[in-house]
Amino acid sequence: MSTQVERSTGLFSGDAFDSSCPSRSVLDHVTSKWAVLVLVVLSREDHRFSALRRAVGGISEKMLAQTLRTLEGDGFVHREVAATTPPQVSYGLTELGHGVTGHLAGLVGWIEDRIPEVLAARERA
């Protein structure tokens, strides 16, 4: 299947195996370690930046900000700013974000369930 992009109708049909397909960058964005973890945490509830950073152990402030910007740019995350002083910013999933996160949460759960087998395989290698 080749990449077809119909800009006039808004219809996109992609082929992730084609190096020029825009789905490649989306795949790269949503399957990065930090993006997967951020998306799964946000699937449970909206978070403010600091709470999200605490929930995703080991992520730096810079990497979290970069990941959120990327996911927001792709339409998976929305950023809401409350009109308070100081402004309170929270992050949540869009409908598109909920759709992709259903698949990612399954992957994370599978990995967590199978980690003993993976660790045993590593020891044998």
Side-chain angles (χ1 to χ4, degrees):
M1 176 190 312
S2 65
T3 304
Q4 299 173 353
V5 180
E6 298 283 335
R7 293 192 192 276
S8 60
T9 63
L11 175 66
F12 293 89
S13 177
D15 178 2
F17 295 96
D18 179 347
S19 64
S20 65
C21 183
S23 63
R24 283 274 184 107
S25 65
V26 175
L27 184 63
D28 183 46
H29 294 167
V30 300
T31 61
S32 76
K33 169 179 62 176
W34 298 123
V36 169
L37 297 173
V38 166
L39 288 167
V40 172
V41 166
L42 290 176
S43 72
R44 298 173 184 150
E45 66 180 322
D46 291 1
H47 280 68
R48 291 180 56 193
F49 187 90
S50 57
L52 189 53
R53 185 165 179 227
R54 285 190 300 273
V56 180
I59 193 168
S60 69
E61 191 171 307
K62 178 182 177 183
M63 184 54 66
L64 178 55
Q66 179 181 328
T67 300
L68 287 167
R69 273 193 305 275
T70 299
L71 293 172
E72 185 180 10
D74 285 344
F76 297 116
V77 170
H78 68 86
R79 181 177 183 266
E80 189 170 320
V81 181
T84 60
T85 305
Q88 292 185 355
V89 180
S90 65
Y91 297 88
L93 295 181
T94 63
E95 185 177 332
L96 195 60
H98 280 288
V100 74
T101 303
H103 299 285
L104 296 173
L107 176 63
V108 170
W110 185 89
I111 290 170
E112 289 174 342
D113 290 345
R114 300 292 189 190
I115 197 65
E117 295 169 60
V118 173
L119 296 176
R122 287 180 182 175
E123 284 184 19
R124 290 190 302 272

